[in-house]
Amino acid sequence: MLYFRATFFVFISLFLLACEKETAVQRTQAYNTNAILWHQHAAEYKALAHQAFNIAKVQIDNLPMPQASLKPWAVVTDIDETVLDNTPYNAKMALLGKEFDKASWFDWGLQKNAKAVPGALTFFNYVAEKGIEIFYISNRYEGQKQETIENLKMLGFPNADAEHVLLKGSISGKEPRRDTVENTHQIALLLGDNLSDFSAVFDDRTAGKAHENVEKMRLLFGSKFIVFPNAIYGHWETKEIFDNNYDWTPAQKDSIRKAKFITY
Ligand SMILES: [Mg+2]
């Protein structure tokens, strides 16, 4: 009888644990679901992307001709969720109940099947027609360089080559790669969906610093910095919601998200 009770207790405990785990994963995926659907189906997302590129085009049209003594203009852009749309990857992971991992991300990249963000192709070809070079500074892994270049090239993006596609080596911060571009060019515009695409001041997101710096640099948004929406992922989530800790369980993430809600 005692043996039966103990076995029953263990069985019930394991069952409850499994339920708790599954519920937490489901909650995590439920959180992602709406963000992914918004990117893929909200006409407002499309409108925001066009709005960003329209503003960027005005800035390109207003650029003064560089004096002969000065370096030529360049445009620096991020790739993911600025030029290429990776939401099919996020959707697949959500359906599988999984979170981002390097192996599946490489698999998606190898398919070279990412589509262009609305308005991107028209804008970057316009920039190229003006004789301005484009540098793609992305934190895709260096090992993804070939397929990334091919994906950009297949879609018809200009400057899709090894010299202009600068991926993440040992340093994830983008400032050294921006400095490399500035050795030979003046950066007219930076485009990205993450504040770190614009300046190293945004790399530190502790203690509300990103919010303070956005206020301080507010005049640059829409003039030199062109921001794209990304409600699915980014430093706003990894650094600000989850304090740069990648080891939280789905249940912990769920609790942290709810604890961060601002309510009344
Ligand atoms: Mg990005």
Side-chain angles (χ1 to χ4, degrees):
M1 187 64 182
L2 201 63
Y3 173 77
F4 174 76
R5 273 189 190 168
T7 310
F8 182 73
F9 178 74
V10 168
F11 175 77
I12 288 292
S13 303
L14 286 173
F15 176 73
L16 290 175
L17 201 67
C19 286
E20 161 65 17
K21 204 176 166 192
E22 193 179 338
T23 312
V25 170
Q26 282 167 348
R27 276 191 230 122
T28 301
Q29 297 316 319
Y31 169 85
N32 270 336
T33 302
N34 230 22
I36 294 164
L37 286 174
W38 184 76
H39 275 256
Q40 293 188 329
H41 294 281
E44 286 82 356
Y45 169 75
K46 203 170 272 172
L48 281 168
H50 282 301
Q51 180 173 279
F53 286 119
N54 289 344
I55 292 168
K57 182 177 176 288
V58 169
Q59 298 303 331
I60 292 294
D61 289 339
N62 290 338
L63 280 179
M65 287 291 286
Q67 293 166 13
S69 58
L70 295 176
K71 296 168 187 170
W73 292 117
V75 166
V76 166
T77 183
D78 171 50
I79 294 180
D80 296 316
E81 276 46 73
T82 301
V83 170
L84 295 181
D85 166 10
N86 299 287
T87 56
Y89 170 76
N90 301 112
K92 182 94 172 174
M93 296 303 275
L95 284 175
L96 294 172
K98 288 182 177 173
E99 300 193 331
F100 174 91
D101 69 73
K102 198 173 166 180
S104 59
W105 176 242
F106 265 69
D107 283 347
W108 159 249
L110 278 169
Q111 292 185 30
K112 299 174 270 189
N113 204 20
K115 303 286 183 286
V117 165
L121 205 51
T122 307
F123 172 73
F124 287 105
N125 279 301
Y126 182 77
V127 171
E129 281 162 22
K130 291 252 173 187
I132 298 171
E133 279 178 73
I134 296 129
F135 289 88
Y136 301 88
I137 299 185
S138 158
N139 274 1
R140 282 190 172 201
Y141 297 93
E142 188 62 29
Q144 296 180 286
K145 191 153 177 161
Q146 196 52 43
E147 55 264 34
T148 300
I149 290 172
E150 284 173 24
N151 198 155
L152 291 169
K153 211 179 262 182
M154 281 158 56
L155 291 169
F157 280 100
N159 297 132
D161 55 48
E163 188 197 336
H164 293 85
V165 176
L166 309 174
L167 304 184
K168 181 170 73 171
S170 53
I171 303 167
S172 63
K174 293 185 169 181
E175 197 78 342
R177 283 171 279 167
R178 284 190 288 265
D179 291 345
T180 305
V181 172
E182 284 190 315
N183 285 338
T184 51
H185 293 76
Q186 301 178 73
I187 298 177
L189 274 186
L190 297 113
L191 300 94
D193 63 300
N194 197 327
L195 289 171
S196 289
D197 296 326
F198 306 113
S199 164
V201 303
F202 296 118
D203 291 348
D204 179 2
R205 296 185 76 143
T206 54
K209 284 202 185 78
H211 290 266
E212 278 171 33
N213 284 323
V214 163
E215 280 302 325
K216 275 187 202 157
M217 300 169 87
R218 61 188 175 279
L219 295 179
L220 290 171
F221 294 99
S223 55
K224 190 171 182 181
F225 302 161
I226 309 295
V227 192
F228 290 78
N230 187 348
I232 303 173
Y233 66 91
H235 286 165
W236 67 267
E237 185 190 35
T238 54
K239 290 193 175 182
E240 299 211 35
I241 307 292
F242 298 126
D243 293 329
N244 226 7
N245 182 341
Y246 289 81
D247 298 326
W248 301 118
T249 64
Q252 285 171 323
K253 283 186 170 180
D254 187 55
S255 306
I256 294 166
R257 282 185 179 117
K258 290 209 170 70
K260 294 265 181 171
F261 274 152
I262 298 164
T263 181
Y264 67 94

